[in-house]
Amino acid sequence: MPQPTVRSLHVDANLTNLSIGYSNAEYIADKCFPLVRVRKQSDIVPKYDQSLWFRDTASLRAPGTKSRGHGWTVDTSDTYFCNRYSFRDEINDQQRANADAPWNLDQDATTFVTDKAQMRREVSFAADFFTTGVWTGDVAGATNFTKWSSYGSSTPLVDLELYKDTVEARIGREPNCLVLGKQVWLQLKWHPDIIDTIKYTQRGVVSEELFASLAGFPKVCIGRAIYTTTAEGTAEASITYSRIWGKHALQLYVPAAPSLRTPAAGYTFVWQEVPNADQWIKRMRDEEREVDIIEVNTNFDQKKTAAGAGQFMENCVA
């Protein structure tokens, strides 16, 4: 006797507790340059002229004579300007009427556009500051030091210490933030010199926190994010992806928070056009087109403020 098949008794539907999506797990640009929340879209970034503060001019003073002295000067030629960045997603009425679980169109659209704003800061920082020609005295693997992927002959901890000293000799402070591309971190965490340093006191696993302690950096940021520049509309199987952060390293001196009379490699100026919001979501209705619009907006300027407070290390690994 004929029997119904399993497929004829069941109509496939969306799972209500599971869906597959993609986004970067972490962005680090805002950790590299501290956020400065500002009240105006543009303004002056005042800078003390450095040399007057490092000149040894206190001198012996004979009785009855005047003390020797001189003033200090300020450069007010540098400014920031927080450009507006925006991105929208649209939900038309037919999509909304037909959406079944697990789709939450408003939530999905909000997450989608928010991620675009965060990615913009990440890509912008890597392109503008994680490269040559930006900081004082770039160095490169295989030219100025042995690439750290050459386990037999490279000395990464010594190299990092050497270039920390180089920055200190320029601004009077050691770098306190180390930025590494993920591919660099993969080579460092298994480097024999580092494993050998911890083997008698720690488990044989080098965490980011342990490495930061070994290398003497209060903060280590690992650039893990990926993106694609393949044209929209290309078949998914033909899309190519790249690391936003390359095989490089960057040492920075940045204060933990914006402060007066303190050197800083850079800041991210964020104009809070909407009070207390680094970025904000606008929800709008286009009745003529019958769509709801969910739009993210942010105003920022990632600004280098002291070229000598950064040390770029190009092509650290093969």
Side-chain angles (χ1 to χ4, degrees):
M1 172 181 285
Q3 295 291 325
T5 64
V6 171
R7 296 296 293 179
S8 67
L9 294 174
H10 172 71
V11 178
D12 287 347
N14 287 322
L15 292 174
T16 58
N17 61 348
L18 171 68
S19 64
I20 307 300
Y22 299 92
S23 64
N24 284 302
E26 181 183 22
Y27 295 110
I28 65 168
D30 290 351
K31 297 180 180 179
C32 301
F33 280 3
L35 292 182
V36 182
R37 296 172 174 91
V38 294
R39 297 180 180 179
K40 302 295 182 181
Q41 189 173 18
S42 65
D43 235 325
I44 293 171
V45 183
K47 297 180 181 179
Y48 291 90
D49 290 320
Q50 179 176 329
S51 64
L52 294 167
W53 294 79
F54 285 95
R55 189 162 284 115
D56 179 19
T57 48
S59 58
L60 286 170
R61 178 182 176 184
T65 63
K66 294 180 179 180
S67 62
R68 180 186 176 188
H70 63 75
W72 40 265
T73 56
V74 177
D75 178 3
T76 58
S77 63
D78 204 8
T79 61
Y80 71 83
F81 184 87
C82 295
N83 286 302
R84 167 77 75 90
Y85 296 89
S86 303
F87 184 78
R88 68 165 58 187
D89 192 13
E90 296 184 349
I91 305 167
N92 66 55
D93 289 354
Q94 292 184 3
Q95 288 174 323
R96 188 179 294 283
N98 283 284
D100 294 322
W103 312 120
N104 184 326
L105 298 184
D106 293 283
Q107 186 179 82
D108 290 345
T110 301
T111 301
F112 183 57
V113 301
T114 300
D115 186 76
K116 293 298 185 186
Q118 294 172 326
M119 181 179 287
R120 175 84 296 267
R121 281 223 275 266
E122 197 85 349
V123 172
S124 177
F125 187 97
D128 293 344
F129 306 107
F130 205 62
T131 187
T132 58
V134 178
W135 307 101
T136 303
D138 300 328
V139 294
T143 300
N144 304 101
F145 60 93
T146 303
K147 291 188 178 186
W148 300 333
S149 48
S150 298
Y151 280 176
S153 54
S154 63
T155 54
L157 292 175
V158 174
D159 296 336
L160 289 169
E161 197 67 29
L162 171 65
Y163 295 117
K164 284 172 64 178
D165 183 67
T166 300
V167 173
E168 185 182 36
R170 290 198 294 255
I171 66 166
R173 308 204 184 194
E174 282 192 344
N176 57 2
C177 175
L178 177 63
V179 187
L180 302 172
K182 172 65 182 303
Q183 292 148 299
V184 178
W185 169 240
L186 285 177
Q187 297 293 331
L188 283 176
K189 70 184 294 185
W190 297 111
H191 196 286
D193 284 7
I194 296 171
I195 298 296
D196 190 62
T197 301
I198 68 165
K199 66 182 181 182
Y200 296 113
T201 58
Q202 302 283 341
R203 294 179 303 160
V205 178
V206 180
S207 65
E208 294 174 27
E209 293 76 14
L210 179 56
F211 174 76
S213 177
L214 287 174
F217 288 93
K219 180 166 58 177
V220 173
C221 300
I222 311 297
R224 306 172 184 272
I226 64 171
Y227 77 135
T228 180
T229 58
T230 305
E232 188 175 352
T234 303
E236 283 295 309
S238 301
I239 302 289
T240 58
Y241 297 91
S242 304
R243 296 276 184 183
I244 293 175
W245 307 85
K247 300 178 179 181
H248 317 304
L250 175 62
Q251 299 189 29
L252 299 170
Y253 178 79
V254 287
S259 52
L260 298 172
R261 294 179 296 277
T262 305
Y267 287 111
T268 298
F269 296 92
V270 179
W271 176 37
Q272 295 189 321
E273 184 178 354
V274 172
N276 302 314
D278 297 338
Q279 59 190 35
W280 67 97
I281 299 293
K282 290 175 65 176
R283 299 177 185 271
M284 300 170 283
R285 174 69 180 174
D286 186 335
E287 193 62 53
E288 185 175 7
R289 295 174 54 231
E290 297 182 333
V291 297
D292 295 324
I293 301 165
I294 297 180
E295 178 186 84
V296 68
N297 295 275
T298 183
N299 300 277
F300 72 88
D301 184 11
Q302 294 165 324
K303 183 81 177 178
K304 176 185 68 177
T305 52
Q311 179 65 62
F312 185 63
M313 306 176 71
E314 183 183 19
N315 295 327
C316 296
V317 300

